[in-house]
Amino acid sequence: MMLYQLNLRELTYALSEALDYVGIDDILHGKRVAYIACEIGKQLGWRQSKLDKVMLMAMLHDCGVSSTDVHHAIVSQLDWEDSYVHCAKGASLLEEVPQYSDFVDVIAFHHTHWEAFSSHIDEEIKLYANLIYLSDRIDALRSQFGAHLHHEKETIRAIIQQHTPSMFSPQLYDAFKEASQMEFFWYYLESSALPYYFKDWVDQGDIQAVPFDSLKKIALMFAGIVDAKESIHKERTLHVASLARYIAHFAGLSLRDQESIELSALLHDLGKLRIPDDIATKTAPLNDVESSHLRRQGFDAQIILGQIKGFETIKKIVAMHYTPSHTKAYSRLSAHTSMPLDVFILTIATTFERGQREEASALLAQMVETYQLEKSLEAKVEAYCSISL
């Protein structure tokens, strides 16, 4: 079994940036919630191991949100009727990932009112969940009212107090009130300052030997979040990854290279979460402004993947896949003759999945010729696509 030496904090911090992209212009929501929750936890005297757990849970708390419209509801309303939907969805996603499975109950309850908790819920789960809920609502209020002036901060504190203890734990409110008296508490919520808060915490994370199967589950989780943005293409990324791995295997690549290509395929569309819903789901031709949103997704995916030590190959594959000369003019196949084999494979897989069979078949033939692969590979891939896509 292949092992990957990775810093789980760094991996989570970077990949959770895709969740923050759902805010379009109001990004870093998850990071701000993690910061607020951690500062409240410090005020309560929590040990570092609890703060570490809070940090990870908070960064992932909105993993059930793929829609920009849902994100808007989250930051523009204090409470709303269907808030539980993204909580349940997020919990189900985390359940499939061993590294995050301990967070399931907390994420499931992270919009539950303090006085609405059932008596049989574990007290620690209640406190964790309500801490994330409180931190989440503080950031939503910051988004609505701002927090630059004294009266804005007082407004936020007053609203939270008004809904304590019905929505929020009195213990957590008191800790927030105390922590938020310090000016630096609010300064760190600024986008220019926030990354510095996490830097040492990320850098001090242990390097762990992560098996490919575990890493794939994390990648599958984020691929599922991306695909949920377009309900008509619910398993698009999974199909791309499966086909890319199939081609890589029959192209004779090493096991490590096959895994790199599969992970690249699962993560190549992370930047799509920053595309507004109405553009991502539009079936009519896009105008220039709308097209610019689509063109940016490759850049945003590179920014995320480039932050993860150990993902250098994956980042390179995704970056080259989105290079203009590799994504245009499929009829001019000479432009692809210098394309690395792993990038060729990802491009072919995405082209087949989009239903552009003629272009994909031509690219496949070009790859076979360029890299002197077995001619039978073309027939195998065509047969696979006829059955699976």
Side-chain angles (χ1 to χ4, degrees):
M1 181 181 295
M2 302 294 286
L3 297 174
Y4 292 76
Q5 302 297 320
L6 296 168
N7 176 348
L8 184 61
R9 291 183 187 178
E10 183 177 71
L11 181 70
T12 305
Y13 180 85
L15 292 180
S16 69
E17 199 155 302
L19 306 178
D20 291 341
Y21 279 165
V22 178
I24 310 296
D25 297 318
D26 179 38
I27 61 174
L28 298 178
H29 171 66
K31 305 289 195 304
R32 287 193 298 266
V33 171
Y35 160 71
I36 294 168
C38 192
E39 286 300 301
I40 293 173
K42 287 179 181 178
Q43 194 67 39
L44 292 169
W46 286 4
R47 63 186 183 275
Q48 188 60 46
S49 59
K50 288 188 73 170
L51 297 176
D52 292 341
K53 187 173 182 179
V54 165
M55 201 86 82
L56 293 169
M57 289 189 295
M59 286 181 191
L60 297 168
H61 80 279
D62 272 347
C63 63
V65 179
S66 302
S67 163
T68 54
D69 287 344
V70 173
H71 175 84
H72 178 72
I74 287 172
V75 298
S76 64
Q77 303 175 52
L78 185 66
D79 193 26
W80 71 101
E81 185 177 353
D82 294 331
S83 61
Y84 69 91
V85 174
H86 79 277
C87 301
K89 183 178 177 182
S92 67
L93 287 168
L94 294 171
E95 202 168 22
E96 301 300 317
V97 183
Q99 288 85 349
Y100 303 142
S101 58
D102 287 349
F103 307 162
V104 169
D105 289 340
V106 173
I107 302 309
F109 294 121
H110 85 269
H111 272 264
T112 300
H113 292 192
W114 181 247
E115 292 187 335
F117 272 106
S118 170
S119 59
H120 74 273
I121 302 296
D122 180 84
E123 289 299 318
E124 186 175 57
I125 297 295
K126 285 171 58 176
L127 202 60
Y128 276 139
N130 199 246
L131 173 59
I132 292 177
Y133 187 29
L134 171 62
S135 304
D136 183 67
R137 297 302 80 201
I138 292 167
D139 189 50
L141 292 170
R142 178 211 58 82
S143 178
Q144 293 175 50
F145 299 114
H148 298 291
L149 303 175
H150 178 74
H151 77 270
E152 295 169 345
K153 301 179 182 67
E154 286 301 326
T155 297
I156 292 172
R157 279 190 282 261
I159 292 173
I160 296 298
Q161 183 179 27
Q162 180 186 347
H163 293 281
T164 301
S166 60
M167 291 171 66
F168 309 114
S169 155
Q171 178 190 13
L172 295 179
Y173 165 71
D174 288 343
F176 159 62
K177 183 179 179 182
E178 188 66 27
S180 65
Q181 297 301 324
M182 302 292 290
E183 286 296 322
F184 82 84
F185 177 89
W186 302 99
Y187 294 155
Y188 266 121
L189 292 173
E190 298 170 5
S191 58
S192 59
L194 190 59
Y196 293 100
Y197 181 82
F198 296 101
K199 187 180 186 307
D200 288 344
W201 179 79
V202 170
D203 291 344
Q204 291 166 10
D206 294 332
I207 304 298
Q208 302 176 31
V210 182
F212 171 74
D213 287 347
S214 296
L215 188 54
K216 181 179 175 179
K217 287 179 180 178
I218 295 174
L220 281 167
M221 170 184 153
F222 281 90
I225 296 167
V226 171
D227 285 347
K229 192 171 185 70
E230 303 175 76
S231 58
I232 59 172
H233 298 127
K234 194 172 181 181
E235 295 185 335
R236 176 190 178 277
T237 307
L238 181 59
H239 291 157
V240 170
S242 298
L243 176 55
R245 180 67 186 259
Y246 181 87
I247 298 172
H249 171 72
F250 283 102
L253 272 66
S254 69
L255 180 59
R256 185 74 172 206
D257 287 343
Q258 291 177 42
E259 291 176 353
S260 292
I261 289 172
E262 186 172 10
L263 291 172
S264 301
L266 288 170
L267 299 171
H268 80 284
D269 264 352
L270 286 175
K272 184 176 285 186
L273 289 172
R274 198 170 192 167
I275 301 172
D277 295 349
D278 57 341
I279 296 175
T281 58
K282 187 175 181 179
T283 54
L286 302 178
N287 60 38
D288 290 344
V289 174
E290 292 167 339
S291 295
S292 70
H293 281 281
L294 289 183
R295 290 195 299 271
R296 185 189 170 100
Q297 64 178 304
F299 171 80
D300 286 328
Q302 292 176 56
I303 293 296
I304 293 170
L305 298 172
Q307 297 177 57
I308 305 169
K309 297 180 187 70
F311 268 34
E312 289 79 10
T313 298
I314 294 167
K315 185 251 184 180
K316 184 194 76 172
I317 294 172
V318 172
M320 294 193 71
H321 169 68
Y322 279 106
T323 299
S325 64
H326 295 161
T327 56
K328 292 181 179 178
Y330 289 107
S331 60
R332 295 168 57 195
L333 295 179
S334 59
H336 298 275
T337 57
S338 61
M339 191 189 297
L341 181 56
D342 46 17
V343 182
F344 236 133
I345 291 171
L346 178 56
T347 302
I348 290 167
T350 57
T351 308
F352 264 118
E353 203 286 329
R354 283 197 298 265
Q356 297 172 305
R357 302 296 285 265
E358 184 176 338
E359 294 92 334
S361 297
L363 275 172
L364 179 60
Q366 182 68 30
M367 183 185 76
V368 168
E369 179 183 345
T370 301
Y371 287 94
Q372 299 181 332
L373 303 174
E374 292 289 336
K375 187 71 175 173
S376 59
L377 175 61
E378 294 180 54
K380 289 176 180 175
V381 174
E382 294 284 357
Y384 179 95
C385 293
S386 296
I387 296 171
S388 303
L389 299 180

